[in-house]
């Protein structure tokens, strides 16, 4: 429907991928995942009004600096806590109802519903007229609402896509045209057939995907029902299909066994993946959403030592399954003594059309931010290309990506136009506050099953045992 119709162009490049369990791969700079808690901006010793904002990446800190620029009487104290092992969620919950609670919090898609469905967040329905004026994508509002009350807004919309290496597509399929590549990979049956072709023609040196985890979001997004219906666990057929496909790709050697967000997974992006013997391996494609382009793929396309660079060798298509993945919402803690200021900050971050256009177009460079605050860290900035939640802004800025750095990265494709076509089809009805815990509980049993350590029956039993501990009142068939 959408991405397949994007414009195109070609480029080239090539590389290696590797087996994470055995391969020593080149590290790259990662996305925006912090590893330690950091108070990015210390409180100012002035008469400014202090607003405490907590998040799990440094992303919104860029908006905070821009907000201070527009509101010089405000000092945003930005605290970044990593999500590793649930640290952010744990500290956030521990702070609620205490003097340590922040005023504004960022909420990732995996747990935003947990907060929206609780009493932790304040009613921000007064901002709905501005959301209507910005034509915020309906699913963004739906995720931030519960029982008719809107408590959180997002600056992003996150339809998913499949990014592929153009040089490898030409080598194995004779074309890198996104329309033709989409036709070759338009459903999972064709995707599996293509994986077999790639393995055969490459002699096993190129994998279709880097990780079994790449399949998880596309399959989970295409369930017919949420995880829990009327107090009972629902194991949708798409969950079993995900397990079957992951097992097939593992057993047939179609995936590189590189765990998501680890070195091997990133190394495939810069064509620097090698196996235990030092032999180069390549990754053909990655399932990533809108934010995956500016935050994950583009920053990791160049090897740390500069010896390899896949910039310009990527194309993007809809892929075999439509899906959405991730996104960050912002809300105000119920009972915040700075409610009006906190609400205005949320409005600026998620609904201010000028701010959203600046965010998407890469206006917030480090040089720009330093004009607002000379103490801003040297690596604080916002690259162009993030897909924003306002349809008004999206339509206005699509032409600006025709000749952008992101277009060059994709061999001439205007990714923004493709994502704009895909975004209205995103369905967030399946998202609930229990998703994160249920899906995390499945991760280890799946890994053990794919590694041949347990049977499939053991996998399901182990997962359900974990859920009985996490959700003692849940009926589990």
């Amino acid at each position: 429907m959408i991405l397949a119709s994007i414009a195109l162009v070609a480029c080239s490049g090539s590389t290696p991928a590797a087996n994470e369990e055995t391969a020593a791969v080149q590290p790259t700079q990662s996305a925006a995942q912090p590893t330690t808690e950091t108070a990015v901006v210390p409180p100012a010793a002035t008469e400014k009004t202090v607003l405490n904002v907590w998040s799990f990446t440094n992303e919104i800190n860029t908006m905070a600096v821009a907000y201070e620029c527009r509101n010089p009487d405000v000092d945003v104290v930005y605290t970044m806590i990593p999500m590793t092992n649930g640290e952010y969620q744990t500290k956030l919950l521990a702070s609620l109802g205490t003097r340590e609670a922040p005023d504004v919090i960022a909420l990732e898609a995996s747990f935003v519903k947990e907060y929206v469905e609780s009493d932790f967040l304040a009613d921000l329905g007064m901002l709905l007229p501005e959301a209507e004026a910005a034509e915020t994508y309906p699913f963004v509002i739906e995720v931030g609402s519960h029982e008719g009350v809107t408590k959180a807004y997002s600056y992003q919309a996150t339809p998913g896509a499949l990014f592929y290496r153009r040089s490898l597509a030409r080598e194995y399929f004779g074309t890198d045209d996104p329309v033709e590549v989409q036709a070759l990979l338009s459903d999972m049956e064709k995707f599996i057939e293509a994986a077999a072709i790639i393995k055969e023609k490459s002699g096993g040196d190129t994998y279709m995907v880097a990780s079994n985890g790449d399949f998880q979001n596309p399959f989970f997004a295409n369930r017919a029902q949420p995880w829990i219906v009327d107090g009972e666990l629902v194991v949708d057929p798409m969950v079993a299909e995900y397990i079957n496909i992951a097992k097939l790709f593992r057993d047939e050697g179609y995936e590189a066994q590189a765990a998501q967000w680890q070195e091997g997974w990133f190394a495939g992006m810069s064509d620097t993946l090698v196996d235990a013997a030092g032999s180069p391996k390549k990754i053909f494609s990655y399932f990533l959403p809108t934010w995956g382009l500016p935050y994950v793929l583009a920053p990791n396309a160049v090897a740390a030592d500069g010896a390899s660079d896949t910039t310009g060798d990527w194309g993007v298509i809809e892929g075999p399954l439509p899906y959405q993945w991730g996104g960050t919402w912002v809300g105000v803690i119920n009972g915040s003594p700075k409610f009006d200021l906190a609400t205005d900050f949320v409005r600026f971050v998620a609904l201010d059309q000028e701010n959203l256009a600046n965010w998407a177009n890469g206006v917030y460079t480090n040089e720009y931010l330093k004009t607002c605050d000379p103490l801003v860290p040297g690596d604080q900035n916002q690259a162009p290309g993030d897909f924003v939640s306002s349809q008004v802004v999206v339509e206005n800025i699509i032409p600006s990506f025709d000749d952008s750095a992101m277009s060059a990265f994709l061999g001439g494709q205007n990714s923004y136009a493709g994502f704009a076509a895909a975004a209205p089809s995103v369905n967030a009805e399946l998202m609930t506050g229990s998703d994160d815990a249920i899906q995390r509980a499945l991760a280890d049993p799946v890994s053990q099953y794919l590694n041949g350590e347990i049977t499939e029956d053991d996998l399901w039993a182990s997962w359900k045992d974990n859920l009985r501990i996490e959700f003692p009142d849940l009926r589990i068939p």
Side-chain angles (χ1 to χ4, degrees), residues 28 56-57 62 68 74 120 167 197 204-205 261 327 331 349 368 372 379 434 439 465:
T28 60
F56 44 86
T57 71
T62 293
E68 289 176 327
V74 176
F120 300 149
S167 57
I197 291 172
D205 286 337
W261 312 111
V349 169
Y368 178 99
C372 302
D379 60 353
S434 304
Q439 292 167 188
D465 286 345

Side-chain angles (χ1 to χ4, degrees), residues 275-339:
D275 64 15
S279 301
K281 300 292 182 179
K282 299 178 186 295
I283 303 297
F284 180 79
S285 62
Y286 286 86
F287 286 91
L288 290 168
T290 48
W291 50 265
L293 177 58
Y295 295 140
V296 181
L297 192 56
N300 290 288
V302 182
D305 61 3
S308 180
D309 184 355
T310 60
T311 300
D313 192 35
W314 294 92
V316 59
I317 58 175
E318 181 185 359
L321 291 169
Y323 68 102
Q324 71 88 31
W325 179 5
T328 300
W329 279 254
V330 283
V332 175
I333 289 293
N334 216 350
S336 165
K338 312 280 179 58
F339 176 77

Side-chain angles (χ1 to χ4, degrees), residues 293-425:
L293 177 58
Y295 295 140
V296 181
L297 192 56
N300 290 288
V302 182
D305 61 3
S308 180
D309 184 355
T310 60
T311 300
D313 192 35
W314 294 92
V316 59
I317 58 175
E318 181 185 359
L321 291 169
Y323 68 102
Q324 71 88 31
W325 179 5
T328 300
W329 279 254
V330 283
V332 175
I333 289 293
N334 216 350
S336 165
K338 312 280 179 58
F339 176 77
D340 289 342
L341 178 59
T343 301
D344 189 61
F345 182 78
V346 171
R347 184 201 60 76
F348 175 79
V349 169
L351 302 172
D352 186 288
Q353 295 182 34
E354 179 182 356
N355 175 54
L356 292 175
N358 289 344
W359 179 262
N361 281 323
V363 169
Y364 295 144
T365 62
N366 190 253
E367 291 73 20
Y368 178 99
L369 298 178
K370 282 188 179 298
T371 65
C372 302
D373 180 356
L375 300 179
V376 166
D379 60 353
Q380 187 73 49
N381 64 84
Q382 174 60 29
D386 195 23
F387 194 79
V388 296
S389 57
S390 165
Q391 296 180 71
V392 172
V393 174
V394 167
E395 291 301 320
N396 287 339
I397 66 177
I398 283 176
S400 67
F401 286 90
D402 284 342
D403 299 313
S404 68
M406 287 296 100
S407 174
F409 183 84
L410 295 174
Q413 280 184 274
N414 184 330
S415 62
Y416 230 79
F419 287 134
S425 66

Side-chain angles (χ1 to χ4, degrees), residues 88-278:
Y88 176 71
Q89 297 95 312
T90 299
K91 291 190 174 180
L92 195 51
L93 287 171
S95 77
L96 297 176
T98 75
R99 295 177 61 185
E100 304 303 317
D103 300 297
V104 175
I105 58 174
L107 298 160
E108 208 270 339
S110 62
F111 58 87
V112 59
K113 285 302 252 185
E114 177 183 352
Y115 282 78
V116 169
E117 294 173 0
S118 74
D119 296 327
F120 300 149
L121 300 179
D123 181 353
L124 297 183
M126 72 290 290
L127 296 180
L128 283 173
E130 292 193 56
E132 183 177 355
E135 297 182 20
T136 300
Y137 287 103
F139 81 90
V140 173
I141 300 298
E142 183 180 354
V143 171
S145 303
H146 179 61
E147 296 182 341
V149 179
T150 302
K151 303 177 182 178
Y153 297 84
S154 179
Y155 49 95
Q156 298 172 309
T158 57
L162 182 78
F163 293 85
Y164 66 94
R165 291 282 302 280
R166 287 178 177 271
S167 57
L168 299 180
R170 290 194 299 273
E171 183 175 353
Y172 301 128
F173 302 113
T175 179
D176 67 353
D177 182 327
V179 174
E180 295 183 24
V181 175
Q182 172 61 24
L184 290 167
L185 307 176
S186 58
D187 57 42
M188 282 310 301
E189 185 175 344
K190 293 180 178 178
F191 196 79
I192 294 169
E193 291 174 357
I197 291 172
I198 288 173
K199 179 184 178 183
E200 179 182 359
K201 291 188 175 181
S202 71
D205 286 337
T206 298
Y207 301 101
M208 191 66 176
V209 295
S211 165
N212 70 81
D214 288 17
F215 293 122
Q216 181 170 298
N217 284 291
F219 276 95
F220 288 174
N222 284 276
R223 287 171 293 139
Q225 298 184 81
W227 287 109
I228 299 175
V229 176
D230 296 331
E232 181 170 321
L233 176 70
V234 175
V235 185
D236 190 277
M238 288 301 285
V239 181
E241 184 65 12
Y242 156 61
I243 302 296
N244 293 336
I245 292 294
K247 183 64 172 172
L248 172 69
F249 272 65
R250 174 63 59 87
D251 290 349
E252 295 296 330
Y254 299 157
E255 61 111 346
Q257 302 185 42
Q260 280 184 310
W261 312 111
Q262 302 300 315
E263 284 186 328
W265 192 72
F266 288 115
M269 299 177 185
S270 60
D271 215 3
T272 55
L273 192 60
V274 296
D275 64 15

